[in-house]
Amino acid sequence: GMPIKRYFDWTIGSVQLDGEDGDGDAPASAVILYGDMVNEVESSNRERDAELIDFFQNAPIAMHWLNGDGIVLWANQTELNVLGYTPEEYIGQPIMNFCPDEKELVLEIFKQLGSGNAIADVPVRFRTKDGKLVHLLIDSNVAYNPDGSFGHTRCFIRDDTARKIRDARTKLLLEENERSLRMLDNFLSKTLHHVMGPLHALRGTCEVVSERLQLRNISDDEKEKNCELLERAAHTVTTTTRMVADVSDLARFDEGSTLKTKLDTVDLRDLGIAAIDKVRFNDLRLSGGDDGVTVSLKLVGKGGSKAISTDQAALLRILAHLLENAVREVQSGGNVTLQITSSHSDNASDRVLVEVMDDGKGLPVGTCLDPGNYIDGMDTRPAPCHRYLIGGNNPRTDDPDELKKVRAKMEEGLRDLKQNGVGVGLPISYHLVRVLGGDLRHDNASKGTRLYFYLPNKLGENEMSIELKTETILKKSKPPENIIITSVEEQPKKRKRADDADFGNFVSSDGSTTSGEETAATPVKVEKAAEPAPEAVAKCGVKASMPFSVLIVEDTDICARLLGMQLKKMKCSTQRAENGKIAVDLLKDSMPGTFDMVLMDLRMPVMDGLEATKLIRDELNIKDLPILALTGEMRDDIRSECEGIGFTEFYQKPLPKKKLQELVEKYKAARDGLVN
């Protein structure tokens, strides 16, 4: 008949036969195979059991059982695969052996489970066989014995790596958002600082001029001073509006906007002269411009035209930024050169090379202008690009540590108010050069910096008939003067600097001459002080008959001048330091009692007022000299910081004349011993 499929349970056994074996020794034995037929129902049940066992062993989630002592009773193959152990290495071992860093957490888990509670989504770290830590999530409850005693745990383990990555990304985004907002706050604070200064100066100028105009008889000298103050205030406001325009335009460039240009035929020689004529040494140099810095225009003709077709306003704006940066950074007696080269080519279009070179300290290490695909003076990149990058040799590195350093450096630069300006000159110049068809580049020479760009010259043939001639034009700042304060009533007037105005009895901060010329010391007229009170003379002697001496520490020229003019009318002698470092050096080299009061600006280049005052109090150990903080920032944290450093008082700019008069009288009385 047909074969029939049957299932049997086979058992192997042995039996001993009766009698002896053929050799007459022990009784013989035999191996017997027993077979019990299995019915179809029982066979089906066994198949389901095998499937269930396979389900638990190879489920996509790891599982294990622990007894009440934390010993692993069972673990599925998935968990063994996750941790890399064999059953012999894992099962039967204390679970604490595999998560040694989580002892307190494991004990707490057992405490919760022993109390009858279930746990869910508890993060725990397991150590794999190769020593790595893996982040896992545990869900568990307890299977109890029939008598109610603790049987074993039922633990389900899931990989927590994805959640950790997601949380890390979220944290990174939050930190990045906080850093971006902090950088924005710092940038706005820095920008507003540079806006508020000119506004304070303008307000003070209006008050001074208004007061003078109310006089019945105004001398020609007073009229001249009023006009000069107004001109300086107007220039300060103009500089500020230019800064605001730069910030606004830079934001538009970064949004992808395009600047509309107006092409003009521009004479290169006239362009260069206009650019160097706009350089104002007294605004850019801490010395007021009297330190021998030379700015030169060098025209190089290589067969090219003396004119170029371009947007004159945009090009002058670029040159103004590049020249100002160079003049601001070079040392005393340094050189800045604007070189314009016009070249002709028979095989390619004519072009103009514009270079700004200086012998200063150079751009920060790692600064680079995006190189793109810059070939033979022509840019072949698509329009979107970074305006500039700061980093190492490879500024586009994916190294998180390097990028973190770059970001920290940018944040530090935005917080730093020791540098003039808001740092948009180079970026806005980069964009403007691209608008004109060029690409701003730089290289640091062995000493100094060279910034350069090429512009195409698309003049018609008739307009290009006149070639550019090679020549050099110089513009040099004046050497410093040695000025001495005296108390005589009639003395010859001191020689004025260019763009300078008399604003009180100021002395050059270094008091030295670096020029080769002989410069005689020039006395300055000082208003004769009122006769001191007899009790003052009796208490402090000749000191009471001396003018009240004020050291003005202020980097903004017009603000210092306004303070000096007001103090002069109060019969005070004044001296100015352009930054905190000069003030510290001046006090260090002066006799005790030289100054009776210090008016200290907080935000200045080189060294700010906070650092300077700390040095004066701690290192110079000058404790009794009144130092008054003058600032446009009235935040509580700034006030608290000033109090902690050792400022005597804290005032907002501009200081009203009435308040200044009260302070002079207060500290003069204290100096003369008239205050108990």
Side-chain angles (χ1 to χ4, degrees), residues 9-20:
D9 283 339
W10 297 99
T11 305
I12 299 176
S14 65
V15 296
Q16 189 170 351
L17 301 177
D18 295 336
E20 298 179 354

Side-chain angles (χ1 to χ4, degrees), residues 358-464:
D358 66 69
D359 56 5
K361 62 184 179 181
L363 292 176
V365 176
T367 302
C368 72
L369 297 167
D370 184 11
N373 300 317
Y374 197 67
I375 302 173
D376 194 26
M378 301 301 292
D379 183 19
T380 60
R381 292 174 305 175
C385 66
H386 298 290
R387 60 179 180 263
Y388 66 97
L389 300 166
I390 302 177
N393 294 330
N394 181 16
R396 284 179 173 170
T397 178
D398 293 328
D399 183 357
D401 292 335
E402 183 67 24
L403 294 176
K404 190 178 293 186
K405 291 179 184 177
V406 171
R407 187 58 178 260
K409 191 172 183 179
M410 294 171 66
E411 289 188 51
E412 182 182 354
L414 286 175
R415 289 193 303 268
D416 183 16
L417 286 173
K418 294 181 182 179
Q419 297 295 329
N420 285 323
V422 293
V424 299
L426 186 59
I428 195 67
S429 298
Y430 178 90
H431 282 297
L432 290 172
V433 170
R434 288 185 60 80
V435 168
L436 299 183
D439 217 348
L440 184 60
R441 292 286 168 263
H442 95 281
D443 56 63
N444 281 355
S446 58
K447 182 179 180 183
T449 301
R450 172 177 173 257
L451 289 157
Y452 64 96
F453 56 91
Y454 291 88
L455 294 180
N457 198 347
K458 299 180 180 180
L459 285 177
E461 293 184 2
N462 294 334
E463 297 173 299
M464 299 181 66

Side-chain angles (χ1 to χ4, degrees), residues 144-157:
Y144 292 95
N145 294 322
D147 60 358
S149 62
F150 191 102
H152 61 79
T153 65
R154 294 177 289 213
C155 297
F156 295 82
I157 299 178

Side-chain angles (χ1 to χ4, degrees), residues 229-247:
L229 274 176
L230 291 173
E231 288 173 2
R232 283 191 166 275
H235 171 72
T236 305
V237 172
T238 300
T239 302
T240 304
T241 56
R242 193 186 74 170
M243 179 196 68
V244 174
D246 287 338
V247 173

